[in-house]
Amino acid sequence: MKARVHVTLKNGVLDPQGKAIQHTLESLGFDGVEDVRQGKFLELEIAETDPVAAEAAVKDMCEKLLANTVIENYDIELVE
Amino acid sequence: MKARVHVTLKNGVLDPQGKAIQHTLESLGFDGVEDVRQGKFLELEIAETDPVAAEAAVKDMCEKLLANTVIENYDIELVE
């Protein structure tokens, strides 16, 4: 089973990488870019076939390694 | 208008960061993690309100800055 995980900065947390991208886009001539936020996207291939157990396992992975829950949110989506 | 962009490594391109995550998950006791691929996830807030023009602009941004199209694929999704 495949899990798609988005890890994004919480609202209010400064995103210097996103700001750098925004300014670079402006300097390249792209007008009207009002905000850019960068996050991580992970695709995990896991052996577990039961969706409930798989989601619980991936949630545990997010809490322990994939996301810093002080400043980041995560979102899990199971595929197949 | 908001654009959500996924930038992922093309198939066959080695992903050392994904492998590092996979090995760390294993060392944390998570069994059955068969593969991990890490990509980038970007949320752009753009002033353009016409979906066709917005998608064309974001595609141009991907080609010029956001993705390295030699080794990466990108996927654009417009919201609202």
Side-chain angles (χ1 to χ4, degrees):
Chain A
M1 176 167 274
K2 189 173 272 188
R4 292 158 57 97
V5 178
H6 288 91
V7 179
T8 49
L9 284 170
K10 288 184 180 176
N11 284 336
V13 177
L14 203 69
D15 180 359
Q17 201 170 3
K19 282 283 168 247
I21 294 169
Q22 182 182 352
H23 293 141
T24 307
L25 286 172
E26 281 163 13
S27 71
L28 286 174
F30 291 104
D31 297 325
V33 180
E34 290 164 355
D35 194 31
V36 178
R37 301 282 284 175
Q38 166 146 15
K40 282 178 285 184
F41 172 60
L42 295 144
E43 283 178 308
L44 291 91
E45 189 67 49
I46 48 178
E48 181 62 62
T49 52
D50 174 51
V52 176
E55 180 150 4
V58 176
K59 189 167 185 290
D60 204 18
M61 292 176 203
C62 287
E63 294 282 341
K64 287 191 179 145
L65 180 73
L66 305 179
N68 174 355
T69 53
V70 176
I71 55 165
E72 291 173 325
N73 290 321
Y74 59 86
D75 177 67
I76 299 164
E77 183 191 341
L78 296 174
V79 189
E80 180 205 33
Chain B
M1 178 168 272
K2 188 173 272 188
R4 292 158 57 96
V5 178
H6 288 91
V7 179
T8 49
L9 284 170
K10 288 184 179 176
N11 284 336
V13 178
L14 202 69
D15 181 358
Q17 201 170 1
K19 283 282 167 245
I21 294 169
Q22 183 181 352
H23 294 142
T24 307
L25 286 171
E26 281 163 12
S27 71
L28 285 173
F30 291 104
D31 297 325
V33 179
E34 291 163 355
D35 194 31
V36 179
R37 302 282 283 174
Q38 166 146 17
K40 281 178 285 184
F41 172 60
L42 296 143
E43 283 179 308
L44 291 90
E45 189 68 48
I46 48 178
E48 181 63 60
T49 52
D50 174 51
V52 176
E55 178 149 7
V58 176
K59 190 169 185 291
D60 205 17
M61 291 176 203
C62 288
E63 295 281 341
K64 286 190 180 147
L65 180 73
L66 305 179
N68 175 356
T69 54
V70 177
I71 55 166
E72 291 173 325
N73 290 322
Y74 60 86
D75 177 68
I76 301 164
E77 184 192 340
L78 296 174
V79 188
E80 181 203 30

